[in-house]
Amino acid sequence: MPPLVGGVVALALIFWLYRDLDFSRFLTGLREAHLGWVLMLTATILLEQVANGWKWRQILHDVKPVRTLRLTGALLAGYGANVLVPLGISPLVRSWLIARMEDLKMGTVLSTTIIARFIDGVVFALFAGLVAMAGKVPQVSGNLELGLAVAGAINFILFGGLLWALFRFRTLLAQDGPLICRLFDWVAKWFRANGAQLRGSLCDGVVWPKARRHRLNVLLGAVAAKLISATHYVWAGLAVGIVLAPFDYLFLMVFAGFSLVLTRFIRVPGGFVIGSAFAFNLLGVPEEQALLMILFNWMISIIVVVGGGLIVLWQSGIDIRSRQQEIVHAGQ
């Protein structure tokens, strides 16, 4: 029920934002949408996840080489599980699934997903800085360029700092004496896990590829995934006859991304689509076409990513509710 209610609330907010649109023009645009570009949008939504899976493969390579498609399936499964249990458990599920299939410790795999997330945050911050410095941000009351630059800088410092701390203090986490380790073990007991073993498995996953090729591929994968994400509105726009400047698509990705993060903090559903709606308004895109672009992107993402994830979970024979304890203890 919570995901369903969240989806209904998000749809209601979208249609409230576009309450003055011409509904007949909206329906006409829907009927005349170019199916070929919609299929292209579907392919690139899936391709983005493949790029993320390939990037994860580069990070995990020194622990154990794993096929990109298997990692991509685990990513999708994490999104699917997050719909079934909307508590932000997707990193746990994808880590547990790969650990289960590849005979690895869940904590080790989980550390590699954390590294991937931090790298994504750093790369996203660089894109935000690029958009702000390029001077292609729509002019509104206030200084939106400065806001994006500051938000990007905070994002870069936060995720860059976390990434540095992860590698700097990984050996400390493996020791038994420090206070933070004793606190970790104490918290682990709440989940009936062995804290010392879990810390050891987490430290085993804090790795950076030794080969220069794999290190470069990590960065290339992160950048490629963001660029592919920025093209989603290219194909959605072509489907309804809208073409924007190249930097406008980067602006849409950055603005909607920050909106998603902000609404997660304040617990408002549909942050990405609400941010997209506001960004389209700033860019002067007609409401009917803007709403169609948002709905195409959002609904196809749900079908491809979440639906694909649920299929992966089903094919893996996983019942999330009956596996809660197994996920908790997998780190041991």
Side-chain angles (χ1 to χ4, degrees):
M1 286 300 296
L4 179 60
V5 171
V8 171
V9 171
L11 277 174
L13 287 172
I14 294 170
F15 278 98
W16 180 80
L17 288 170
Y18 288 112
R19 59 190 179 278
D20 295 327
L21 63 75
D22 187 328
F23 199 67
S24 62
R25 287 184 61 189
F26 171 81
L27 292 178
T28 300
L30 180 61
R31 287 193 300 268
E32 296 177 354
H34 196 291
L35 181 59
W37 294 121
V38 175
L39 293 177
M40 187 67 178
L41 170 62
T42 304
T44 53
I45 288 174
L46 183 58
L47 181 61
E48 180 189 356
Q49 300 308 315
V50 174
N52 282 321
W54 184 74
K55 175 196 64 189
W56 188 13
R57 169 183 167 82
Q58 312 308 312
I59 299 172
L60 193 59
H61 184 271
D62 286 0
V63 177
K64 184 177 182 180
V66 182
R67 290 183 293 112
T68 297
L69 290 182
R70 174 164 287 186
L71 294 171
T72 302
L75 288 171
L76 297 178
Y79 292 123
N82 218 37
V83 170
L84 296 176
V85 186
L87 297 174
I89 66 168
S90 58
L92 293 173
V93 171
R94 66 182 61 141
S95 301
W96 173 74
L97 186 58
I98 292 299
R100 177 175 178 257
M101 292 188 294
E102 297 292 336
D103 194 25
L104 295 169
K105 292 182 179 179
M106 177 186 161
T108 302
V109 182
L110 180 61
S111 292
T112 63
T113 68
I114 294 172
I115 293 171
R117 184 66 61 89
F118 289 170
I119 290 173
D120 284 341
V122 171
V123 171
F124 181 79
L126 294 176
F127 272 104
L130 176 63
V131 171
M133 289 188 297
K136 302 295 184 180
V137 178
Q139 297 301 314
V140 294
S141 56
N143 195 329
L144 186 56
E145 290 180 5
L146 179 61
L148 286 179
V150 171
I154 294 173
N155 217 55
F156 184 85
I157 293 171
L158 174 62
F159 286 103
L162 288 172
L163 195 61
W164 173 84
L166 191 64
F167 283 93
R168 174 65 177 80
F169 298 107
R170 60 179 173 178
T171 55
L172 178 67
L173 187 62
Q175 300 174 12
D176 294 327
L179 176 61
I180 189 172
C181 297
R182 296 199 301 272
L183 289 174
F184 183 95
D185 295 347
W186 179 63
V187 173
K189 288 182 180 178
W190 289 0
F191 299 95
R192 300 178 183 179
N194 186 310
Q197 291 184 7
L198 182 55
R199 283 189 286 109
S201 64
L202 287 169
C203 290
D204 291 340
V206 182
V207 294
W208 189 243
K210 296 178 182 178
R212 180 181 300 178
R213 176 171 62 90
H214 292 298
R215 292 197 298 266
L216 180 61
N217 286 345
V218 171
L219 301 178
L220 289 176
V223 171
K226 290 293 181 288
L227 288 175
I228 294 170
S229 175
T231 68
H232 292 170
Y233 279 133
V234 174
W235 318 121
L238 290 171
V240 296
I242 295 294
V243 178
L244 303 174
F247 266 96
D248 288 342
Y249 297 110
L250 290 179
F251 168 72
L252 282 166
M253 180 195 70
V254 169
F255 193 90
F258 278 130
S259 300
L260 175 62
V261 173
L262 179 61
T263 52
R264 279 180 176 174
F265 277 110
I266 60 178
R267 298 297 180 182
V268 175
F272 184 86
V273 292
I274 294 171
S276 296
F278 188 70
F280 276 125
N281 184 55
L282 293 177
L283 292 171
V285 177
E287 292 186 343
E288 294 78 16
Q289 285 92 337
L291 181 56
L292 283 170
M293 292 168 69
I294 292 170
L295 291 179
F296 281 151
N297 194 1
W298 184 40
M299 299 189 75
I300 292 175
S301 294
I302 292 175
I303 294 171
V304 173
V305 178
V306 177
L310 294 176
I311 292 173
V312 171
L313 288 173
W314 172 69
Q315 288 184 333
S316 301
I318 298 173
D319 182 343
I320 295 299
R321 295 182 183 275
S322 66
R323 291 294 189 268
Q324 289 178 355
Q325 289 301 318
E326 188 174 348
I327 291 175
V328 169
H329 291 291
Q332 303 180 37

